[in-house]
C-alpha cells in the first residue's frame, strides 16, 4: 500500500513539474570606457578618421528571464579632429532604452562553457551634440544596436566588451557643428567600443546572464526536486515514536511507548495538569507516598535529607526542548519527585528557577527562562501543592556550556529546585 502511494505521488509530481524555478538574480549595473568613431557627416575640411576618442557609458539592466531583458543606458563621447582636419571639438551625450537578448542562453552556451557569454541589444536613443561653433545644442533621435561578449569573473562580476553602432536622424548640424546637416535620414553614424564591468545585484548565487537552464540541467534539477519530495514524503509517513500517528501530523513525535495519544499525536491529559494520564498513574506507583514510606521505614531523616539534597544540588531537574515551555516527557519523573517530596514535607517551601541556552536574543531568552519556571510552577499547583509554598523566577541564559555544542545545550534548558 505504501509503495503504491509513493508511486502515485511520484507520477503526480512528474506531471506537475513543468517550469523551472527562477532562482537567479535579474538586476545588474553595467559600466564601460573606451573609444568612439563618429562617421559622416562632416563639413568640408573637418573630419575624425580615427577610432580613438573617449567614450563612456553606464547602464541599468533587468532580465525578465534567462533569455530576454531591458536596458536603460547613458553614453558620452568626446569627438576630436583627426590630423589634417580643421580644429573643432564636440561633446555628444545619449540616453537610450534597449531590448537585450541573452544569446549565450538562446544558443546553449552553457553546454560547453560557464565563463563566456554573449548579449545582443537593440533599441532607440535620444542624442545631444554640443559644438564650439553654435550656442545651441543639436538634438536628434536614432536607433542603436550591438553585441556584448562577457567573461564571468565571479558570480557577482563579469567583464564585458560592448560593441555598439548608432544611426541618428533629425540632426540640424554636422558632427563638427560648422554647417547644416545633409538631412538624408539617419545620416549621423557613430561606433563605440568599450571595455567594462557588469555588477550583479540580488540575493541569489547566479545572475540570469550565466544561469544554466539547459535542458540537461533542468532535467537534473527536476529529478533532484522529485527525489527530495519523495524522501520527505517517506520520512513524513514514518512513525518514529510508534504511537500510530505519522510524523508529518505528530505534534509530539517523542511520546513514550504505551502512552495514549489523540489524532495529532498529543499525549492525552484529561485533567490538564501537564502530566499524561497514562504516565500519571504509573508515576504514582513508582514514587513512595508518605504512608507507604512510613510503613516500610524508608522515610526517616536520612531518606528525607537525601531527597532534599538531590533536588537542591541539581540532580533532579525539568528539561525542555529548544524554544519551548513544554517539559520533555521524561522530565515528568522529576516533577513527580518534587510533588512527592512536597506532599511528604508539608512545611517545606521551594523556589523554582528557569534557564535558557545561549542561542537567540538575550532579552527573549530571559523571558523564556521565566516562562519555563512558571510552567513547572503551574503543574505543581495543579498537582495539589499550595501556591503559597512555591515561588518562581527566571535565571536567564546559562552560559556554562559551549554555545556551539547542540547536545550540551540540552542540559541547560531546564528548571531547577531550591528547597527551604
Amino acid at each position: 500500500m505504501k509503495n503504491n502511494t509513493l508511486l502515485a505521488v511520484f507520477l503526480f509530481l512528474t506531471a506537475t513539474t513543468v517550469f523551472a524555478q527562477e532562482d537567479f538574480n535579474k538586476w545588474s549595473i553595467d559600466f564601460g570606457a573606451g573609444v568612439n568613431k563618429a562617421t559622416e557627416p562632416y563639413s568640408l575640411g573637418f573630419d575624425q578618421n580615427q577610432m580613438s576618442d573617449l567614450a563612456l557609458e553606464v547602464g541599468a539592466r533587468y532580465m525578465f528571464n534567462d533569455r530576454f531583458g531591458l536596458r536603460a543606458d547613458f553614453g558620452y563621447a568626446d569627438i576630436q579632429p583627426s590630423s589634417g582636419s580643421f580644429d573643432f571639438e564636440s561633446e555628444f551625450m545619449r540616453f537610450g532604452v534597449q531590448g537585450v537578448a541573452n544569446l549565450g542562453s538562446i544558443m546553449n552556451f552553457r553546454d560547453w562553457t560557464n565563463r563566456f557569454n554573449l548579449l545582443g541589444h537593440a533599441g532607440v536613443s535620444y542624442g545631444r551634440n554640443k559644438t564650439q561653433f553654435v550656442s545651441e545644442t543639436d538634438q536628434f533621435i536614432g536607433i542603436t544596436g550591438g553585441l556584448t561578449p562577457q567573461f564571468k569573473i565571479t558570480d557577482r562580476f563579469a567583464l564585458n566588451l560592448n560593441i555598439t553602432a548608432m544611426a541618428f536622424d533629425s540632426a540640424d548640424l554636422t558632427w563638427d557643428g560648422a554647417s547644416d546637416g545633409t538631412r538624408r535620414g539617419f545620416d549621423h553614424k557613430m561606433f563605440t567600443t568599450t571595455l567594462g564591468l557588469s555588477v550583479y545585484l540580488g540575493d541569489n548565487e547566479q545572475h540570469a546572464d550565466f544561469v544554466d537552464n539547459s535542458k540537461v540541467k533542468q532535467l537534473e534539477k527536476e529529478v533532484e526536486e522529485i527525489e527530495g519530495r519523495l524522501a520527505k514524503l517517506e520520512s513524513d509517513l514514518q512513525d518514529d515514536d510508534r504511537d500510530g500517528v505519522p510524523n508529518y501530523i505528530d505534534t509530539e513525535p517523542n511520546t513514550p511507548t504505551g502512552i495514549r495519544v489523540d489524532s495529532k499525536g498529543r499525549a492525552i491529559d484529561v485533567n490538564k495538569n501537564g502530566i499524561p494520564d497514562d504516565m500519571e498513574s504509573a508515576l504514582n506507583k513508582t514514587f513512595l507516598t508518605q504512608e507507604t514510606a512510613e510503613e516500610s521505614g524508608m522515610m526517616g531523616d536520612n531518606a528525607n535529607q537525601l531527597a532534599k539534597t538531590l533536588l537542591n544540588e541539581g540532580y533532579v531537574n525539568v528539561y525542555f526542548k529548544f524554544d519551548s515551555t513544554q517539559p520533555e516527557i521524561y522530565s515528568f519523573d522529576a516533577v513527580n519527585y518534587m510533588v512527592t517530596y512536597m506532599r511528604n514535607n508539608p512545611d517545606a517551601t521551594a523556589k523554582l528557577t528557569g534557564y535558557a541556552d545561549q542561542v537567540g536574543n538575550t532579552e527573549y531568552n530571559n523571558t523564556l527562562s521565566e516562562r519555563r519556571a512558571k510552567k513547572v510552577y503551574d503543574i505543581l499547583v495543579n498537582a495539589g501543592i499550595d501556591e503559597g509554598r512555591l515561588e518562581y523566577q527566571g535565571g536567564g541564559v546559562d552560559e556554562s556550556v559551549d554555545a556551539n555544542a547542540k547536545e550540551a545545550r540540552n542540559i541547560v534548558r531546564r528548571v531547577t529546585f531550591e528547597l527551604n
Side-chain angles (χ1 to χ4, degrees):
M1 177 64 180
K2 178 179 176 181
N3 290 336
N4 290 338
T5 302
L6 291 176
L7 178 59
V9 173
F10 176 84
L11 294 175
F12 173 77
L13 294 176
T14 303
T16 56
T17 304
V18 178
F19 298 103
Q21 182 181 2
E22 293 187 347
D23 52 351
F24 51 80
N25 299 316
K26 298 182 178 181
W27 282 101
S28 68
I29 303 296
D30 305 319
F31 305 91
V35 294
N36 80 82
K37 174 70 170 76
T39 64
E40 58 181 17
Y42 285 93
S43 303
L44 184 64
F46 293 83
D47 193 16
Q48 181 213 33
N49 60 16
Q50 74 283 341
M51 191 165 185
S52 60
D53 294 335
L54 177 66
L56 301 172
E57 58 185 9
V58 59
R61 181 160 53 89
Y62 178 80
M63 299 298 292
F64 301 112
N65 49 50
D66 65 312
R67 295 192 170 197
F68 301 103
L70 198 63
R71 182 176 188 258
D73 58 8
F74 164 80
Y76 169 85
D78 182 32
I79 306 173
Q80 297 283 347
S82 58
S83 59
S85 169
F86 292 130
D87 188 40
F88 74 94
E89 182 176 3
S90 298
E91 292 185 340
F92 171 73
M93 292 186 295
R94 63 178 172 86
F95 304 88
V97 177
Q98 302 179 60
V100 179
N102 187 349
L103 301 179
S105 179
I106 294 172
M107 295 187 291
N108 297 319
F109 278 26
R110 299 295 82 78
D111 288 342
W112 55 274
T113 178
N114 291 319
R115 291 286 183 184
F116 181 72
N117 193 47
L118 181 64
L119 302 179
H121 54 90
V124 296
S125 293
Y126 163 74
R128 296 169 61 90
N129 190 37
K130 176 65 176 175
T131 72
Q132 66 192 61
F133 296 111
V134 294
S135 59
E136 295 182 357
T137 300
D138 197 11
Q139 304 180 54
F140 34 78
I141 59 174
I143 55 176
T144 304
L147 294 173
T148 306
Q150 297 176 296
F151 180 80
K152 184 172 74 171
I153 305 172
T154 70
D155 288 331
R156 291 293 175 184
F157 302 99
L159 287 175
N160 62 69
L161 179 66
N162 192 16
I163 304 169
T164 303
M166 292 161 275
F168 295 97
D169 190 16
S170 304
D172 294 327
L173 302 171
T174 56
W175 282 115
D176 52 86
S179 61
D180 293 338
T182 55
R183 298 182 179 278
R184 292 180 300 175
F186 294 101
D187 57 336
H188 280 57
K189 299 180 179 62
M190 175 177 284
F191 299 91
T192 62
T193 300
T194 61
L195 180 65
L197 192 69
S198 293
V199 180
Y200 297 130
L201 310 178
D203 297 329
N204 294 304
E205 292 185 1
Q206 293 182 307
H207 187 269
D209 288 355
F210 289 94
V211 68
D212 188 354
N213 274 340
S214 62
K215 291 182 179 179
V216 173
K217 186 66 175 180
Q218 289 307 309
L219 181 59
E220 290 177 353
K221 289 176 64 176
E222 291 173 10
V223 171
E224 183 178 345
E225 289 177 4
I226 292 172
E227 288 178 345
R229 294 179 188 179
L230 287 176
K232 183 178 185 303
L233 177 62
E234 187 171 5
S235 175
D236 288 344
L237 291 176
Q238 298 294 323
D239 180 16
D240 292 338
D241 56 5
R242 307 297 181 186
D243 61 358
V245 179
N247 289 344
Y248 77 100
I249 58 174
D250 196 340
T251 58
E252 293 181 6
N254 297 315
T255 307
T257 302
I259 300 298
R260 289 175 295 171
V261 298
D262 61 17
S263 60
K264 293 186 178 180
R266 298 172 296 197
I268 294 175
D269 180 17
V270 175
N271 58 9
K272 304 298 182 183
N273 67 350
I275 303 175
D277 293 345
D278 291 330
M279 182 173 284
E280 189 170 4
S281 59
L283 289 173
N284 287 335
K285 294 177 181 179
T286 300
F287 293 91
L288 295 174
T289 64
Q290 175 83 13
E291 182 179 358
T292 57
E294 291 177 350
E295 289 176 355
S296 62
M298 297 181 64
M299 198 57 196
D301 291 339
N302 290 338
N304 198 48
Q305 183 59 41
L306 176 60
K308 184 175 181 179
T309 300
L310 291 174
L311 288 163
N312 281 343
E313 296 296 328
Y315 293 101
V316 179
N317 299 308
V318 179
Y319 295 97
F320 299 81
K321 294 180 180 179
F322 177 74
D323 195 25
S324 173
T325 59
Q326 179 62 34
E328 295 274 18
I329 292 295
Y330 60 79
S331 283
F332 285 111
D333 286 355
V335 175
N336 197 73
Y337 195 95
M338 182 64 179
V339 170
T340 301
Y341 180 88
M342 296 296 285
R343 287 175 179 172
N344 293 338
N345 297 271
D347 295 330
T349 60
K351 179 188 293 184
L352 284 61
T353 304
Y355 295 94
D357 63 26
Q358 301 177 57
V359 178
N361 179 271
T362 300
E363 183 177 350
Y364 174 80
N365 283 334
N366 290 338
T367 302
L368 177 62
S369 69
E370 183 176 353
R371 290 167 53 209
R372 285 172 172 167
K374 177 62 164 59
K375 180 66 175 181
V376 177
Y377 169 90
D378 290 339
I379 294 175
L380 293 176
V381 171
N382 290 333
I385 307 303
D386 188 277
E387 60 185 22
R389 301 171 60 195
L390 302 169
E391 61 177 302
Y392 66 90
Q393 65 180 11
V397 176
D398 187 332
E399 299 180 349
S400 63
V401 302
D402 186 350
N404 297 317
K406 180 178 179 181
E407 293 78 7
R409 293 200 308 268
N410 291 334
I411 64 176
V412 298
R413 297 194 295 265
R414 70 195 191 284
V415 169
T416 63
F417 304 103
E418 182 181 347
L419 295 167
N420 298 313

